[in-house]
Amino acid sequence: MLRSVKRQPATAKWYDRRDSVFVEFCVEDSKDVKVHFDKSKFDFSCITGTDNIKQQNTVDLFGEIDPKGSKHRRTDRSVLCCLRKAETGKSWPRLTKDKSKCNWLSVDFNNWKDWEDDSEEDLSSFDKFSEMMNTMGGDDLPDLDGAEEERDSADNDDEMFCKLKSAAGNSIS
């Protein structure tokens, strides 16, 4: 008996650069990854999780890309696609041709930058994509436990108490 496979779109985030558009599909432990680039769209699919959920997205793109110059790379946590723009130097205000909001897609504000005013730098050479992909990884998230803030707050409270005490002529105890 065949097990039915659940299908759903993969969650993704995207950002724009001078000569490329990057789309990162947030799929952990993916297998059977398939990415097909066409001039005006691309298809992504993979299987994730122990439940073998099929993640599948077809994206009709805002602009045209160079299918042969576009690449993808799988990591344990995601699949990053680099879509080489057919017309470099033209910004994309959105990833999709259609203006309607896709609930599975968001802007990657951590990597977004207003490059129109910049000189051609960092990712202007498409060959640097491979270099960037090879250096991906590592956990550079900040410490989110708040211990530093709590200690600073306590120090500030102590200082405030001392100032109030001396202003009141040491009558506060």
Side-chain angles (χ1 to χ4, degrees), residues 13 21 39 43 46 56 80 97 112 128 163 165:
K13 48 190 179 175
V21 173
K39 210 159 103 169
D43 296 301
C46 70
Q56 190 169 11
L80 182 62
K97 184 177 186 177
W112 193 272
K128 291 187 180 179
K163 287 179 183 177
K165 188 174 176 182

Side-chain angles (χ1 to χ4, degrees), residues 146-161:
E148 188 70 31
E149 289 177 20
E150 287 176 21
R151 193 184 68 218
D152 290 347
S153 178
D155 290 346
N156 289 340
D157 290 347
D158 290 345
E159 288 174 22
M160 185 60 75
F161 179 75

Side-chain angles (χ1 to χ4, degrees), residues 44-97:
F44 168 81
S45 67
C46 70
I47 305 288
T48 60
T50 56
D51 294 339
N52 289 326
I53 297 172
K54 180 154 183 155
Q55 308 273 336
Q56 190 169 11
N57 302 65
T58 297
V59 184
D60 290 318
L61 297 167
F62 173 80
E64 290 189 354
I65 61 170
D66 172 9
K68 291 182 180 172
S70 298
K71 301 177 182 180
H72 75 280
R73 178 178 174 127
R74 182 201 165 277
T75 67
D76 288 341
R77 299 180 66 133
S78 66
V79 176
L80 182 62
C81 299
C82 178
L83 312 174
R84 175 78 171 193
K85 291 181 181 177
E87 187 179 342
T88 62
K90 184 177 179 185
S91 68
W92 288 19
R94 62 186 177 278
L95 178 66
T96 59
K97 184 177 186 177

Side-chain angles (χ1 to χ4, degrees), residues 123-134:
L123 294 175
S124 62
S125 169
F126 192 71
D127 294 333
K128 291 187 180 179
F129 171 70
S130 296
E131 181 181 328
M132 182 190 76
M133 297 298 281
N134 289 333

Side-chain angles (χ1 to χ4, degrees), residues 21-33:
V21 173
F22 291 86
V23 182
E24 182 176 18
F25 290 96
C26 307
V27 289
E28 290 189 24
D29 301 322
S30 60
K31 53 190 173 228
D32 196 24
V33 174

